[in-house]
Amino acid sequence: MKQMTEAQLSELEQDLNAIRNEVIADLGERDAQYIRRMVRLHRMLEAGGRVMMPFGFIPPVFVAATATLGIAKILENMEIGHNVMHGQYDWMNDPSLHSQTYEWDTVCTGDSWRRTHNYEHHTYTNIIGKDRDYGYAVLRLSDDEPWRPRHSLQFINYILLSVFFQWGVGLHELETEKLQRREISLREKLPFLKEFARKGGRQAFKDYVFFPLVTFPVAPIVLAGNVGANLIRNLWSSTVIFCGHFTQDAETFSEEECEGESKGHWYLRQLTGSSNFTGGRWLHILSGHLSYQVEHHVFPDLPAHRYPEISGKVQAVCQKHGIHYNTGSFARQYGTVLKRVLRHSLPEHLGGSSATTA
């Protein structure tokens, strides 16, 4: 991580706070209309996908129905659910769009996500040993974690995590690595497992039992389409998230260097531990604007559709303070993610040392 004096960190904090305060002062009807428009679009896409699915015995209709439902799930999870649960629209005082009551269309419960992601990840972003989102406890992505023989097969784990991403995220709070080390007991996790079983069971029943049954003559087609839609959502959301956190230039940090950190230091860690990728408007919308992961990590509770507007200002702050602003094309950033996963599947003397570990 770039070394800065306390005075420089204080100035960085003031610069970024000024951007945040400017957006907060401007929040209003435009933002409310945007999120409500996204909610209406999601409902239309889901209804369209569900209605088309029984006619999936016609191949083009099957493709269209599966893609439409998959996009609906992506939109709800990424642009609506994730952002709403960060409190980006709490100021609207709309119970259906409030961070503490919103429940999204995925197996992970809202409460579990708020604990593991909103608090744990956004507080301890990329701190090895504190941020369990970094590698999701199944991927070795830094030389700070000792290599073990099982890591040689981690690209398989990477593929499995991507394919079953909603289930991996849903079970993230189980803390399997701590269970294996006997630091916690399974009994301690029973309340969480009960919550997960209830939510996961409802989601599985909805997509894999209820909708196929109500379209019984074509149940296998509907079941296949629902599986495909969930797969589309899983692969896309996992790829977006990996591109925001695991690229070659995204730094990691030790607990020692972050102990007792100031707000300015926290800002610096968010800036240097995050990655953006470029693209068109709909790429940004379908990524939940996590294509602006730098801005999201710095301002997680600002409406995400504002990130493109403030990106230039954040870049100017980075340039002023000599901080690298990590961005690139989607293909380039994803390529560096794959390289990082492969490189750290090997022992350090074979894979090469990580240039991104602070």
Side-chain angles (χ1 to χ4, degrees):
M1 186 180 353
K2 177 181 173 64
Q3 297 302 309
M4 299 178 69
T5 65
E6 285 303 318
Q8 290 171 327
L9 289 172
S10 178
E11 185 178 1
L12 174 66
E13 178 183 350
Q14 292 173 19
D15 290 342
L16 291 173
N17 282 345
I19 297 174
R20 170 185 167 77
N21 292 338
E22 183 180 353
V23 174
I24 289 177
D26 189 51
L27 292 178
E29 188 61 25
R30 175 165 72 101
D31 305 279
Q33 288 181 359
Y34 176 83
I35 190 61
R36 286 173 176 149
R37 188 163 63 247
M38 290 297 108
V39 170
R40 289 195 297 271
L41 177 59
H42 158 253
R43 290 172 178 169
M44 289 171 56
L45 287 170
E46 181 175 15
R50 299 287 187 193
V51 168
M52 285 191 291
M53 199 70 75
F55 301 96
F57 53 85
I58 305 171
V61 175
F62 178 80
V63 172
T66 302
T68 301
L69 184 57
I71 292 171
K73 288 175 176 288
I74 288 170
L75 190 65
E76 193 280 332
N77 283 184
M78 305 295 282
E79 184 70 341
I80 302 171
H82 169 266
N83 294 335
V84 165
M85 287 193 289
H86 265 298
Q88 295 180 6
Y89 298 95
D90 282 2
W91 54 272
M92 292 172 57
N93 295 317
D94 183 340
S96 68
L97 294 170
H98 196 277
S99 62
Q100 299 306 304
T101 56
Y102 192 89
E103 191 60 60
W104 55 349
D105 182 23
T106 187
V107 300
C108 179
T109 69
D111 287 339
S112 180
W113 180 260
R114 284 182 279 268
R115 290 189 293 264
T116 61
H117 179 80
N118 289 10
Y119 172 72
E120 188 176 282
H121 170 62
H122 278 270
T123 301
Y124 305 112
T125 309
N126 288 21
I127 299 179
I128 303 301
K130 298 285 285 184
D131 180 9
R132 294 184 60 256
D133 275 17
Y134 196 78
Y136 291 93
V138 297
L139 300 175
R140 176 180 181 261
L141 298 169
S142 168
D143 292 332
D144 294 304
E145 180 181 354
W147 183 87
R148 294 181 176 84
R150 63 182 173 84
H151 292 129
S152 62
L153 299 176
Q154 77 169 2
F155 199 77
I156 297 175
N157 287 338
Y158 172 80
I159 294 172
L160 291 173
L161 178 61
S162 299
V163 170
F164 299 102
F165 192 61
Q166 70 161 334
W167 296 95
V169 171
L171 284 169
H172 191 41
E173 196 176 356
L174 185 58
E175 300 180 288
T176 54
E177 74 281 6
K178 292 184 179 180
L179 288 172
Q180 293 170 354
R181 296 195 298 262
R182 299 185 183 277
E183 295 176 10
I184 57 175
S185 67
L186 190 59
R187 182 181 295 273
E188 294 176 67
K189 289 296 179 179
L190 285 179
F192 159 72
L193 286 172
K194 289 178 181 178
E195 291 179 10
F196 171 76
R198 282 195 293 268
K199 179 70 184 295
R202 286 198 302 270
Q203 290 296 116
F205 177 81
K206 178 188 70 173
D207 278 342
Y208 305 140
V209 178
F210 175 75
F211 280 110
L213 280 180
V214 297
T215 56
F216 181 70
V218 289
I221 293 173
V222 173
L223 175 61
N226 289 349
V227 170
N230 281 320
L231 178 61
I232 291 170
R233 183 268 315 279
N234 289 348
L235 292 176
W236 175 250
S237 58
S238 62
T239 300
V240 167
I241 290 172
F242 296 162
C243 283
H245 299 82
F246 306 153
T247 61
Q248 184 174 345
D249 291 339
E251 296 185 13
T252 58
F253 316 98
S254 67
E255 293 185 49
E256 292 74 22
E257 66 183 318
C258 300
E259 187 175 351
E261 70 179 355
S262 63
K263 184 61 178 290
H265 191 276
W266 181 86
Y267 273 144
L268 176 62
R269 182 159 52 83
Q270 306 307 316
L271 291 169
T272 56
S274 311
S275 316
N276 286 5
F277 56 82
T278 58
R281 178 171 179 263
W282 278 101
L283 180 69
H284 296 312
I285 291 174
L286 291 176
S287 72
H289 285 93
L290 294 182
S291 47
Y292 291 93
Q293 189 69 241
V294 173
E295 287 72 19
H296 175 62
H297 273 160
V298 174
F299 307 119
D301 60 349
L302 292 184
H305 77 102
R306 294 283 195 131
Y307 295 156
E309 300 173 12
I310 64 174
S311 174
K313 298 176 182 179
V314 173
Q315 290 184 59
V317 169
C318 288
Q319 185 175 11
K320 173 184 175 181
H321 293 277
I323 300 169
H324 175 57
Y325 185 86
N326 183 3
T327 189
S329 70
F330 181 82
R332 177 187 175 277
Q333 297 290 55
Y334 186 52
T336 69
V337 170
L338 297 179
K339 289 179 182 177
R340 190 165 195 162
V341 173
L342 289 169
R343 183 175 73 242
H344 290 290
S345 68
L346 301 173
E348 185 175 346
H349 68 280
L350 293 178
S353 61
S354 173
T356 58
T357 302

